[in-house]
Amino acid sequence: MSREYSEAGDHLVSRQPVILSRYRWFTRLNHWTIAITTILLMLSGLAFYSPALYGLTALFGGGQNARWLHPFLGLVLAVGYLLIFIQLVPRNLPRRDDVVWVKHIRDVMDQNEEKLPTLGKYNAGQKFVFWAMGLLILTLLGTGIMIWQEYFPDLVSIPDRRLAMLAHSAAAILMLLVFILHVYAAIWTRGTIRAMTRGSVTGGWAFRHHRKWLREVAGRSRRETSN
Protein backbone atom coordinates (compact mmCIF):
# COMPACT_ATOMS: atom_id res chain seq x y z
CA MET A 1 0.00 0.00 0.00
CA SER A 2 1.24 3.50 -0.83
CA ARG A 3 2.62 5.52 2.08
CA GLU A 4 2.38 8.94 0.47
CA TYR A 5 -0.84 10.04 2.13
CA SER A 6 0.25 10.48 5.75
CA GLU A 7 2.99 12.33 7.54
CA ALA A 8 5.45 10.78 9.95
CA GLY A 9 3.53 12.18 12.92
CA ASP A 10 0.15 10.77 11.87
CA HIS A 11 -0.89 7.86 14.08
CA LEU A 12 -3.74 6.30 16.01
CA VAL A 13 -4.11 7.92 19.41
CA SER A 14 -6.93 5.74 20.66
CA ARG A 15 -8.88 2.73 19.41
CA GLN A 16 -11.90 3.03 21.74
CA PRO A 17 -13.08 5.38 20.38
CA VAL A 18 -10.75 5.67 17.39
CA ILE A 19 -8.83 8.96 17.49
CA LEU A 20 -6.15 9.86 14.96
CA SER A 21 -3.41 12.45 15.27
CA ARG A 22 -3.56 14.65 12.15
CA TYR A 23 -1.38 17.69 12.87
CA ARG A 24 1.61 18.05 15.15
CA TRP A 25 1.95 21.04 17.47
CA PHE A 26 4.40 22.84 15.20
CA THR A 27 2.04 22.63 12.23
CA ARG A 28 -0.88 23.90 14.31
CA LEU A 29 1.18 26.76 15.77
CA ASN A 30 2.37 27.72 12.30
CA HIS A 31 -1.18 27.54 10.91
CA TRP A 32 -2.61 29.87 13.56
CA THR A 33 0.32 32.25 13.19
CA ILE A 34 -0.44 32.46 9.48
CA ALA A 35 -4.17 32.91 10.15
CA ILE A 36 -3.70 35.71 12.71
CA THR A 37 -1.08 37.46 10.58
CA THR A 38 -3.36 37.27 7.54
CA ILE A 39 -6.24 38.86 9.47
CA LEU A 40 -3.98 41.68 10.71
CA LEU A 41 -2.69 42.29 7.20
CA MET A 42 -6.22 42.41 5.82
CA LEU A 43 -7.37 44.89 8.47
CA SER A 44 -4.41 47.20 7.98
CA GLY A 45 -4.59 46.83 4.20
CA LEU A 46 -8.28 47.75 4.14
CA ALA A 47 -7.45 50.83 6.22
CA PHE A 48 -5.03 51.96 3.51
CA TYR A 49 -7.46 51.08 0.74
CA SER A 50 -10.15 53.65 1.53
CA PRO A 51 -10.48 56.73 3.78
CA ALA A 52 -13.81 55.30 4.94
CA LEU A 53 -11.92 52.39 6.50
CA TYR A 54 -9.04 54.42 7.92
CA GLY A 55 -10.51 54.02 11.41
CA LEU A 56 -9.19 50.45 11.38
CA THR A 57 -5.73 51.87 12.01
CA ALA A 58 -6.83 52.47 15.61
CA LEU A 59 -6.42 48.72 16.13
CA PHE A 60 -2.69 49.21 15.55
CA GLY A 61 -2.26 52.41 17.53
CA GLY A 62 -2.72 54.83 14.64
CA GLY A 63 -1.90 55.29 10.98
CA GLN A 64 1.87 55.54 11.38
CA ASN A 65 2.08 52.33 13.38
CA ALA A 66 -0.14 50.50 10.92
CA ARG A 67 1.92 51.69 7.97
CA TRP A 68 5.17 50.65 9.65
CA LEU A 69 3.84 47.29 10.87
CA HIS A 70 2.07 46.15 7.68
CA PRO A 71 5.16 45.17 5.63
CA PHE A 72 6.80 43.39 8.56
CA LEU A 73 3.64 41.37 9.11
CA GLY A 74 3.92 40.47 5.43
CA LEU A 75 7.40 39.08 6.01
CA VAL A 76 6.14 37.01 8.97
CA LEU A 77 3.37 35.63 6.77
CA ALA A 78 5.79 34.75 3.96
CA VAL A 79 8.22 32.94 6.27
CA GLY A 80 5.41 31.11 8.06
CA TYR A 81 3.86 29.93 4.83
CA LEU A 82 7.24 28.86 3.48
CA LEU A 83 7.69 26.57 6.49
CA ILE A 84 4.25 25.02 6.10
CA PHE A 85 4.70 24.78 2.33
CA ILE A 86 7.90 22.78 2.67
CA GLN A 87 6.24 20.47 5.17
CA LEU A 88 2.97 19.84 3.32
CA VAL A 89 3.78 20.15 -0.38
CA PRO A 90 4.25 16.37 -0.95
CA ARG A 91 0.69 15.72 0.27
CA ASN A 92 -0.74 18.53 -1.86
CA LEU A 93 0.50 17.42 -5.27
CA PRO A 94 -2.36 16.86 -7.78
CA ARG A 95 -3.54 13.25 -8.17
CA ARG A 96 -6.07 11.40 -10.28
CA ASP A 97 -8.49 11.26 -7.35
CA ASP A 98 -8.63 15.05 -7.37
CA VAL A 99 -10.05 15.11 -10.90
CA VAL A 100 -12.82 12.70 -9.88
CA TRP A 101 -13.51 14.77 -6.78
CA VAL A 102 -13.90 17.96 -8.84
CA LYS A 103 -16.23 16.20 -11.29
CA HIS A 104 -18.44 15.29 -8.32
CA ILE A 105 -18.44 18.79 -6.83
CA ARG A 106 -22.24 18.74 -6.63
CA ASP A 107 -22.06 15.61 -4.48
CA VAL A 108 -19.44 17.38 -2.35
CA MET A 109 -21.82 20.28 -1.76
CA ASP A 110 -24.69 17.87 -1.02
CA GLN A 111 -22.40 15.83 1.27
CA ASN A 112 -23.03 12.62 -0.68
CA GLU A 113 -19.76 11.12 0.51
CA GLU A 114 -20.61 7.65 -0.79
CA LYS A 115 -20.37 8.96 -4.37
CA LEU A 116 -16.91 10.46 -3.91
CA PRO A 117 -13.55 8.72 -4.42
CA THR A 118 -11.60 7.58 -1.38
CA LEU A 119 -9.14 10.35 -0.61
CA GLY A 120 -5.74 10.75 0.93
CA LYS A 121 -4.95 13.40 3.51
CA TYR A 122 -6.26 16.32 1.41
CA ASN A 123 -9.00 16.76 -1.17
CA ALA A 124 -8.85 18.92 -4.29
CA GLY A 125 -10.48 21.87 -2.53
CA GLN A 126 -7.87 21.87 0.20
CA LYS A 127 -5.12 21.58 -2.38
CA PHE A 128 -6.56 24.54 -4.28
CA VAL A 129 -6.40 26.70 -1.16
CA PHE A 130 -2.84 25.50 -0.47
CA TRP A 131 -1.53 26.43 -3.92
CA ALA A 132 -3.62 29.58 -4.30
CA MET A 133 -2.38 30.93 -0.97
CA GLY A 134 1.20 30.11 -1.89
CA LEU A 135 0.98 31.89 -5.25
CA LEU A 136 -0.81 34.93 -3.83
CA ILE A 137 1.59 35.28 -0.89
CA LEU A 138 4.52 35.11 -3.30
CA THR A 139 2.90 37.83 -5.43
CA LEU A 140 2.21 39.98 -2.39
CA LEU A 141 5.78 39.57 -1.17
CA GLY A 142 7.31 40.52 -4.52
CA THR A 143 5.06 43.50 -5.14
CA GLY A 144 5.27 44.53 -1.49
CA ILE A 145 9.04 44.84 -1.67
CA MET A 146 8.68 46.89 -4.87
CA ILE A 147 6.45 49.44 -3.09
CA TRP A 148 8.32 49.41 0.26
CA GLN A 149 9.89 52.84 -0.25
CA GLU A 150 11.33 53.12 3.25
CA TYR A 151 13.88 50.37 2.56
CA PHE A 152 13.79 50.05 -1.23
CA PRO A 153 13.22 53.60 -2.54
CA ASP A 154 15.18 53.13 -5.78
CA LEU A 155 14.42 49.50 -6.52
CA VAL A 156 11.96 50.26 -9.33
CA SER A 157 10.79 53.28 -11.28
CA ILE A 158 7.66 55.22 -10.31
CA PRO A 159 5.55 53.72 -13.17
CA ASP A 160 6.63 50.21 -12.17
CA ARG A 161 5.84 50.97 -8.55
CA ARG A 162 2.34 52.01 -9.55
CA LEU A 163 1.86 48.74 -11.43
CA ALA A 164 3.18 46.86 -8.42
CA MET A 165 0.67 48.65 -6.20
CA LEU A 166 -2.15 47.62 -8.53
CA ALA A 167 -0.96 44.00 -8.59
CA HIS A 168 -0.52 44.05 -4.81
CA SER A 169 -4.08 45.26 -4.28
CA ALA A 170 -5.53 42.71 -6.71
CA ALA A 171 -3.63 39.86 -5.06
CA ALA A 172 -4.80 41.02 -1.64
CA ILE A 173 -8.45 40.95 -2.74
CA LEU A 174 -8.04 37.45 -4.19
CA MET A 175 -6.34 36.28 -1.02
CA LEU A 176 -9.21 37.65 1.05
CA LEU A 177 -11.65 35.59 -1.04
CA VAL A 178 -9.53 32.43 -0.72
CA PHE A 179 -9.23 33.01 3.03
CA ILE A 180 -13.02 33.33 3.37
CA LEU A 181 -13.46 30.15 1.32
CA HIS A 182 -11.02 28.30 3.58
CA VAL A 183 -12.77 29.43 6.77
CA TYR A 184 -16.22 28.59 5.36
CA ALA A 185 -15.12 25.11 4.31
CA ALA A 186 -13.58 24.45 7.73
CA ILE A 187 -16.82 25.42 9.49
CA TRP A 188 -19.06 23.67 6.95
CA THR A 189 -17.21 20.35 7.28
CA ARG A 190 -17.93 19.45 10.87
CA GLY A 191 -14.95 18.14 12.82
CA THR A 192 -12.35 19.91 10.69
CA ILE A 193 -11.57 22.73 13.12
CA ARG A 194 -10.78 20.15 15.81
CA ALA A 195 -7.80 19.03 13.72
CA MET A 196 -6.22 22.47 14.04
CA THR A 197 -7.13 23.03 17.68
CA ARG A 198 -6.57 19.62 19.28
CA GLY A 199 -4.44 18.16 16.51
CA SER A 200 -6.63 15.06 16.23
CA VAL A 201 -9.76 13.82 14.44
CA THR A 202 -12.20 11.02 15.10
CA GLY A 203 -12.12 7.77 13.18
CA GLY A 204 -15.61 8.48 11.87
CA TRP A 205 -14.53 11.84 10.45
CA ALA A 206 -11.48 10.29 8.79
CA PHE A 207 -13.54 7.41 7.37
CA ARG A 208 -16.07 9.81 5.88
CA HIS A 209 -13.73 12.42 4.40
CA HIS A 210 -10.24 10.88 4.00
CA ARG A 211 -10.66 7.13 3.94
CA LYS A 212 -7.44 6.36 2.10
CA TRP A 213 -5.46 8.34 4.67
CA LEU A 214 -7.27 6.50 7.49
CA ARG A 215 -6.35 3.12 5.99
CA GLU A 216 -2.73 4.14 5.64
CA VAL A 217 -2.47 5.38 9.24
CA ALA A 218 -4.29 2.31 10.58
CA GLY A 219 -2.10 -0.02 8.53
CA ARG A 220 1.08 1.63 9.75
CA SER A 221 -0.14 1.49 13.35
CA ARG A 222 -0.80 -2.25 13.00
CA ARG A 223 2.69 -2.81 11.63
CA GLU A 224 4.24 -0.82 14.48
CA THR A 225 2.19 -2.79 17.02
CA SER A 226 3.20 -6.13 15.53
CA ASN A 227 6.86 -5.12 15.60
Side-chain angles (χ1 to χ4, degrees):
M1 180 181 292
S2 172
R3 303 190 57 158
E4 59 189 355
Y5 296 101
S6 63
E7 298 179 45
D10 302 341
H11 62 278
L12 287 175
V13 176
S14 170
R15 295 181 183 273
Q16 295 180 348
V18 175
I19 302 294
L20 295 90
S21 172
R22 186 166 172 86
Y23 294 113
R24 290 171 288 184
W25 69 269
F26 175 78
T27 304
R28 301 199 307 275
L29 176 63
N30 201 3
H31 172 272
W32 289 113
T33 299
I34 292 171
I36 294 171
T37 305
T38 299
I39 293 172
L40 293 176
L41 283 166
M42 290 176 180
L43 291 173
S44 56
L46 288 171
F48 304 146
Y49 181 75
S50 170
L53 299 173
Y54 187 76
L56 292 172
T57 59
L59 298 172
F60 304 90
Q64 283 188 324
N65 287 338
R67 181 66 186 88
W68 171 84
L69 189 60
H70 185 86
F72 286 103
L73 287 173
L75 293 178
V76 173
L77 175 64
V79 172
Y81 201 82
L82 176 61
L83 294 176
I84 211 167
F85 182 89
I86 294 173
Q87 180 183 355
L88 301 183
V89 66
R91 266 69 61 185
N92 281 277
L93 296 175
R95 304 185 188 282
R96 185 175 302 175
D97 293 341
D98 299 325
V99 177
V100 180
W101 189 90
V102 172
K103 289 181 178 179
H104 288 79
I105 192 64
R106 178 62 64 85
D107 293 318
V108 174
M109 300 303 296
D110 294 338
Q111 296 188 330
N112 294 325
E113 302 291 338
E114 67 278 1
K115 296 182 179 180
L116 300 177
T118 56
L119 298 174
K121 191 164 185 177
Y122 302 108
N123 60 41
Q126 294 168 309
K127 292 179 180 181
F128 167 77
V129 171
F130 177 84
W131 289 103
M133 288 286 287
L135 178 60
L136 291 171
I137 289 174
L138 183 62
T139 302
L140 289 167
L141 176 63
T143 56
I145 291 176
M146 293 172 67
I147 62 178
W148 198 357
Q149 297 186 56
E150 182 178 0
Y151 291 96
F152 306 99
D154 302 318
L155 183 62
V156 295
S157 64
I158 293 178
D160 289 340
R161 185 175 295 120
R162 290 171 178 167
L163 291 175
M165 178 66 76
L166 178 61
H168 193 82
S169 300
I173 293 173
L174 291 175
M175 185 168 171
L176 174 60
L177 296 176
V178 173
F179 184 80
I180 293 174
L181 174 65
H182 176 59
V183 173
Y184 174 79
I187 297 174
W188 181 69
T189 307
R190 294 180 60 184
T192 301
I193 295 179
R194 168 184 172 139
M196 274 300 174
T197 54
R198 304 183 190 181
S200 62
V201 294
T202 64
W205 182 93
F207 183 83
R208 182 175 184 180
H209 300 294
H210 300 276
R211 197 169 305 176
K212 193 176 294 186
W213 172 71
L214 170 62
R215 291 171 178 169
E216 163 59 22
V217 175
R220 186 171 64 194
S221 298
R222 284 196 297 269
R223 290 192 296 270
E224 292 174 351
T225 301
S226 62
N227 293 334

